[in-house]
Amino acid sequence: MPRLKFQTLTEQMFYVLLCLRQEQCGMEILDQVDALTGGRVKVGSGTLYNLLEQFLDAEMIRETKVEGRKRSYILTEAGRKRLAEEYQRISAQAEDYKKLMIEGGDLP
Amino acid sequence: MKKLAQWHFFAFWDRTGIQHHLEEMAAKGWMLERIGLLYHYRRCTPGKYRFCVTYYPDADPSDPAPTEGEQDFQALVSYAGWELAATNAQMQIFCTDREDVVPIETDPVLEVENIHRAMKPRLSANRSNAICGLVWMVYGLLQCLTEPVRFWSIPLFQLISMFFLLEVAESGSSLLAYSRWRRKARKAAEEGEFLATPNLVPLNIAFILVLVAAFALYFAAAFTGQNNQFNEAIWIFLLIPIDTVIVIAAWKGMKRLGVAKQTNKMVLNIGSVFLFVVGVPLIIVLAMGSGLAERPGVRGGTKLDSYRWDGTTYYLYLDELPLKMEDLQPDLAYDGYVSKLDSTESFFAGSFEAEQSPRMDDPDKEQYPTLEYECVTVKWKALWSLLYNDMYQKFHRLSLNPVSGDPVPWDADQAWTSDGGECLLCYGDTIVFLRLPFTPTEAQMQVIGAAFGGN
């Protein structure tokens, strides 16, 4: 099944949006994702560029300033909402895991 | 040697092949410097370099300089530890000697989408080429079916058909290979995998070799046998590369001068249309007007002089004919005949049309009959039925009461005759359609047999 655009965020999408809770440029995002995940999640620079373009098109982020070759962005309301939804989805998954695998519960 | 330039046969989207090749070249001490018509390399310290071929779909080769967006993209990639080696339209090639640098593309789904966006202009061009080639192929096929003698004896027609056949095959196979790879790559991407691009280099080299062979055969045929002369095809083959060089030079010049891409493209399109659509036919008309070629691919008779009669210019020819009125009527005392021979020959078949007629301005011309005939030599035996049927149909169309005749008096293998003096004769690999101005005697039949290699 091809993945529907932004219906489920990939890890890379999730962390890029997360970084944009505050104003960041692309270069800062690359560093932040790496730092935030301890190097577990790698975002390629080409992938990041394309993601930023797509988030802009989907109005999930907006451009805030341009300084030389640095363009900065920040989440929009739509972006925050989408990120929150993703958090809910991941949390629900984690909750279900905890219930069944850690606490030894049964299926309802 | 500090510089090296190589021609490469990689498909534009063959990022795997290009990357591997550039890594091999760098290991040998050749670093990619720029890409034009060729790949240009400079000397570097041999070593382990990583290359990444990626695409910036909004890049336009007609832009005088990289756009802001393209420069932003390159800056971001450079920040991540990659160095820009070269660009070629939407293709961006980066390299690094560091092991720890994160790959430029880390999301295979996005990468496949990105490559497809970059490929769109090329796919449109491929489709247009395939359609254009298909139209010409159908035209060639129709000509082959409706006028097989003309088609198989004129090397230019075979070359044009081969050229468009290759164009269809090349464009079609490129489109097919790309769409097949894309389908598989999208599937693999959903599983988080990057799919290697297929190696189309051997196929591309094969197309080039076949094309070169087709041109070599054409030139060999055009300058040997009955075609040994400078004809209009040479003009076309000279003109097309010259036109191409002019168009590319103008395009590059405008880029250097900083002309906006829309203006550059507009000038380029108008210039190309003028040079290829107007220029090439104009040269053909000039070549025909100057007598270099009367009919495409056909060697016309040798013009000796001209004269005017009844407001029209007529040319004088005294070409050598295999059969003349004097051979059929030895007592004919007339030296005012004009003898014209139009011939053409390929590796598959040869044909000529001969005409011996009195000068139009001769007041006694009615006394001297005209002799006309067409002769086809079939070199490739598989074409015999096709070419024989063509000649047979022509004979039937132009003859009065055609009937099967006795071949023996003609020394022929087969003979068809008619009440109007037309006859169709077969001698070995040769088919002759004669339009005699009289019903021949047995002696004249033997003369004809001797002229065309009778049994």
Side-chain angles (χ1 to χ4, degrees):
Chain A
M1 269 288 282
R3 103 188 157 202
L4 290 174
K5 197 163 259 183
F6 307 139
Q7 195 188 43
T8 304
L9 298 182
T10 62
E11 263 192 313
Q12 297 182 68
M13 291 174 184
F14 181 83
Y15 280 106
V16 170
L17 286 178
L18 196 58
C19 289
L20 289 174
R21 70 198 181 284
Q22 58 191 49
E23 188 185 69
Q24 305 270 3
C25 72
M27 294 162 191
E28 289 165 333
I29 297 170
L30 287 177
D31 293 338
Q32 278 219 357
V33 172
D34 193 52
L36 197 61
T37 64
R40 185 180 60 81
V41 176
K42 306 276 186 197
V43 182
S45 44
T47 297
L48 174 63
Y49 188 89
N50 286 321
L51 279 178
L52 291 172
E53 292 272 292
Q54 293 193 358
F55 288 148
L56 272 174
D57 286 346
E59 294 179 348
M60 289 162 73
I61 61 169
R62 66 182 169 81
E63 198 174 274
T64 51
K65 66 178 178 196
V66 180
E67 284 175 340
R69 297 263 74 89
K70 287 183 183 175
R71 284 171 190 272
S72 299
Y73 308 88
I74 195 163
L75 276 181
T76 61
E77 267 316 301
R80 282 181 186 279
K81 190 168 167 259
R82 184 67 204 88
L83 196 60
E85 284 167 359
E86 189 62 19
Y87 168 71
Q88 296 296 335
R89 192 184 67 81
I90 298 166
S91 299
Q93 282 179 353
E95 201 55 41
D96 289 341
Y97 179 87
K98 192 176 159 193
K99 222 184 294 175
L100 298 175
M101 302 296 286
I102 300 172
E103 296 168 359
D106 291 325
L107 285 172
Chain B
M1 195 166 56
K2 288 182 179 173
K3 301 273 180 184
L4 178 69
Q6 281 185 341
W7 183 279
H8 288 308
F9 297 92
F10 294 110
F12 184 74
W13 49 281
D14 184 8
R15 52 133 158 81
T16 314
I18 298 170
Q19 280 166 201
H20 284 170
H21 181 75
L22 296 178
E23 281 166 7
E24 280 175 14
M25 291 297 286
K28 290 178 197 164
W30 291 109
M31 175 57 66
L32 180 69
E33 194 171 38
R34 67 182 174 89
I35 302 175
L37 196 60
L38 305 171
Y39 278 45
H40 297 263
Y41 299 89
R42 62 177 160 75
R43 268 283 176 215
C44 68
T45 313
K48 195 176 176 192
Y49 293 89
R50 285 166 66 200
F51 278 84
C52 181
V53 176
T54 186
Y55 300 85
Y56 183 76
D58 295 330
D60 192 317
S62 295
D63 267 321
T67 59
E68 288 291 312
E70 192 175 351
Q71 290 182 56
D72 290 347
F73 171 77
Q74 290 167 356
L76 187 61
V77 177
S78 298
Y79 178 78
W82 293 89
E83 194 184 320
L84 182 68
T87 62
N88 177 22
Q90 294 89 348
M91 188 194 286
Q92 315 269 314
I93 303 180
F94 294 89
C95 89
T96 182
D97 56 358
R98 284 166 49 190
E99 291 281 338
D100 61 333
V101 173
V102 176
I104 295 173
E105 301 291 346
T106 49
D107 184 330
V109 174
L110 281 181
E111 196 220 15
V112 176
E113 281 176 10
N114 203 40
I115 291 177
H116 191 61
R117 278 182 61 212
M119 278 295 289
K120 273 183 180 166
R122 280 161 204 272
L123 294 175
S124 304
N126 268 353
R127 278 188 214 108
S128 307
N129 282 348
I131 291 167
C132 173
L134 213 57
V135 170
W136 275 95
M137 258 182 64
V138 170
Y139 174 72
L141 192 69
L142 283 176
Q143 198 160 47
C144 176
L145 292 173
T146 55
E147 293 183 275
V149 166
R150 194 169 142 79
F151 180 86
W152 286 104
S153 59
I154 298 182
L156 180 63
F157 288 172
Q158 293 151 25
L159 177 73
I160 290 172
S161 298
M162 179 54 97
F163 180 82
F164 286 109
L165 176 71
L166 282 172
E167 190 179 13
V168 171
E170 198 277 326
S171 305
S173 62
S174 294
L175 285 170
L176 206 67
Y178 173 73
S179 74
R180 200 159 164 254
W181 172 80
R182 183 169 173 249
R183 200 178 57 243
K184 286 183 176 177
R186 287 171 78 181
K187 219 171 167 182
E190 291 300 326
E191 309 293 326
E193 287 173 21
F194 288 88
L195 189 74
T197 47
N199 180 10
L200 299 180
V201 172
L203 188 68
N204 290 339
I205 290 176
F207 280 129
I208 298 284
L209 288 178
V210 174
L211 189 66
V212 169
F215 270 90
L217 279 176
Y218 164 76
F219 281 111
F223 285 101
T224 56
Q226 296 298 315
N227 307 300
N228 189 14
Q229 76 160 35
F230 191 74
N231 65 25
E232 81 299 328
I234 311 300
W235 284 87
I236 299 171
F237 295 135
L238 278 177
L239 197 74
I240 287 175
I242 292 170
D243 279 3
T244 308
V245 168
I246 292 172
V247 166
I248 292 174
W251 176 70
K252 281 192 171 176
M254 283 191 286
K255 265 183 80 167
R256 245 179 247 125
L257 289 171
V259 174
K261 70 175 174 189
Q262 285 86 355
T263 313
N264 194 340
K265 279 181 182 174
M266 193 177 71
V267 173
L268 196 71
N269 288 339
I270 294 171
S272 303
V273 168
F274 179 78
L275 287 171
F276 289 97
V277 179
V278 181
V280 172
L282 191 70
I283 289 291
I284 295 172
V285 169
L286 287 175
M288 288 167 79
S290 65
L292 284 167
E294 286 193 348
R295 288 189 289 156
V298 178
R299 180 191 182 190
T302 311
K303 285 174 190 169
L304 297 177
D305 202 356
S306 65
Y307 63 92
R308 285 188 69 79
W309 181 76
D310 203 19
T312 309
T313 302
Y314 292 88
Y315 294 98
L316 284 177
Y317 299 88
L318 276 179
D319 296 335
E320 266 306 311
L321 304 184
L323 178 71
K324 291 181 281 193
M325 281 303 291
E326 296 90 310
D327 303 326
L328 296 169
Q329 295 180 335
D331 51 348
L332 187 74
Y334 179 61
D335 59 0
Y337 267 124
V338 176
S339 312
K340 185 168 188 286
L341 187 84
D342 287 344
S343 62
T344 180
E345 188 177 8
S346 78
F347 289 111
F348 306 102
S351 74
F352 65 79
E353 289 173 23
E355 185 184 321
Q356 193 182 19
S357 56
R359 280 176 66 126
M360 294 304 289
D361 58 354
D362 187 339
D364 299 325
K365 62 177 182 285
E366 300 301 329
Q367 294 175 27
Y368 303 104
T370 295
L371 173 67
E372 285 174 275
Y373 52 93
E374 185 179 348
C375 181
V376 175
T377 306
V378 184
K379 296 182 181 179
W380 187 25
K381 292 202 185 318
L383 292 175
W384 173 265
S385 307
L386 188 70
L387 303 190
Y388 173 77
N389 284 338
D390 192 17
M391 294 295 280
Y392 177 81
Q393 279 168 17
K394 187 185 255 186
F395 164 71
H396 257 249
R397 206 170 46 244
L398 299 173
S399 301
L400 186 66
N401 300 328
V403 288
S404 176
D406 180 8
V408 176
W410 304 88
D411 280 346
D413 302 322
Q414 278 188 65
W416 290 85
T417 56
S418 77
D419 293 346
E422 293 86 5
C423 51
L424 185 73
L425 308 165
C426 296
Y427 296 96
D429 296 334
T430 305
I431 308 160
V432 186
F433 173 36
L434 277 151
R435 302 178 79 177
L436 297 169
F438 46 75
T439 304
T441 62
E442 280 215 11
Q444 285 171 328
M445 290 178 190
Q446 279 180 4
V447 170
I448 291 167
F452 295 106
N455 299 319

